Each structure stands twice: as structure tokens, then as C-alpha cells.
Amino acid sequence: MATQCSRFSVILALVVLLIPPTLEAQALYDDSVVEAVIDVLEWLDGDDYTLMPEFGQWGLVFGWFSEGEQKDIDFTVTAGERYMIVGGGDNNVDDIDICIYDETGREVDCDTAIDNFPLVSFIAHSGGTWSASLIAYSLNSSTAYAGMALLHEY
């Protein structure tokens, strides 16, 4: 599994490099983008979790953030199973957090540490469609690149 994830990490990093940045973000489009992607994907090299494909996606959310901006993804959980949501940001991110909400919208857990690599691990108390939010609380520039991966314990 680690070999497949490593290959996937390299392919995704190459795809990210080929996507042209917007004019506003062009000045920030450098090695830090690849670093943000690799920081998140390094979590996939473990033996306990697998990436959750959701709604035709690969269980990944990456993008450009302004300070205070939030990106969300919905995902399906099974009651009693363990999940982990991991994030990472480029060198323009001072603080990003991940919060998890159950099918009723109730906050289940949040990583609120002041850092650029949030992590939330939880056992689903009920099944259904939950959501994860990646929030850019503090940046040291006007925009930054960050993302998160949805992982399921197998």
C-alpha cells in the first residue's frame, strides 16, 4: 500500500505543478505548493489508513486560501469506524485548522493548534454524511496554498 500511495503522491505533485496559477497567486506559485501537497500526502504512507474516495474525488481538498477562508468537503462515515482528517499548508500559512461536523451539523472535533499541519482523528458515533472544514486562520501573505486528506482506518 505504501508503494501505491508514494506513486500517487508523486503523480499528484506533478499534476499540481502543471496547473497554471491565477494571476493573483502566480507570485506565490513555487515549491511551497508542492511542499503543501506532499505534507498532506505523507500521511498516506502509513499502514493503518487509506484515502477515502468521495463523490468521484480522491478524498482530497486543495486550493488557494485567503486569510479567514474556509473550504469544506462532505464524506460518508460508518458508525463505529475510525477516521482521520489531515491537513497541510505552504510556507505562507501560519495557522490552519480542521473541524469535523456530524450529519446534524454538530461539531464533533476540531484541531485548533496554532500550526500549519492540522490533524483530527475520531470514531464516528453515527453513520451518514459528515463534513470537514479546512479554515485558514492566519497567513503571512495575501494568499496561501493548503489542503486536507480524508483517511479511513482499514
Side-chain angles (χ1 to χ4, degrees), residues 12-151:
L12 185 61
L14 291 173
V15 168
V16 168
L17 286 173
L18 296 175
I19 299 171
T22 63
L23 291 176
E24 177 186 343
Q26 197 160 8
L28 299 174
Y29 191 78
D30 58 11
D31 290 340
S32 65
V33 171
V34 175
E35 290 170 18
V37 172
I38 290 178
D39 283 349
V40 171
L41 295 179
E42 281 179 347
W43 288 97
L44 303 180
D45 286 335
D47 293 327
D48 297 333
Y49 288 87
T50 185
L51 193 60
M52 291 176 50
E54 284 298 321
F55 309 109
Q57 303 171 18
W58 282 93
L60 299 167
V61 175
F62 282 94
W64 291 100
F65 285 79
S66 298
E67 192 165 277
E69 188 175 354
Q70 170 178 317
K71 296 196 188 310
D72 305 308
I73 189 169
D74 292 334
F75 58 100
T76 305
V77 299
T78 301
E81 295 193 13
R82 180 175 294 280
Y83 299 87
M84 183 167 56
I85 315 296
V86 298
D90 69 14
N91 57 13
N92 296 309
V93 176
D94 289 328
D95 183 23
I96 56 174
D97 293 334
I98 293 175
C99 291
I100 307 299
Y101 303 92
D102 68 14
E103 72 282 356
T104 67
R106 184 178 65 90
E107 184 180 294
V108 173
D109 199 2
C110 274
D111 174 318
T112 57
I114 300 172
D115 58 24
N116 67 350
F117 47 91
L119 165 75
V120 177
S121 179
F122 62 95
I123 296 174
H125 62 264
S126 61
T129 302
W130 289 28
S131 64
S133 297
L134 183 66
I135 307 120
Y137 277 105
S138 178
L139 307 178
N140 60 38
S141 67
S142 62
T143 60
Y145 197 76
M148 65 179 160
L150 305 158
L151 304 172

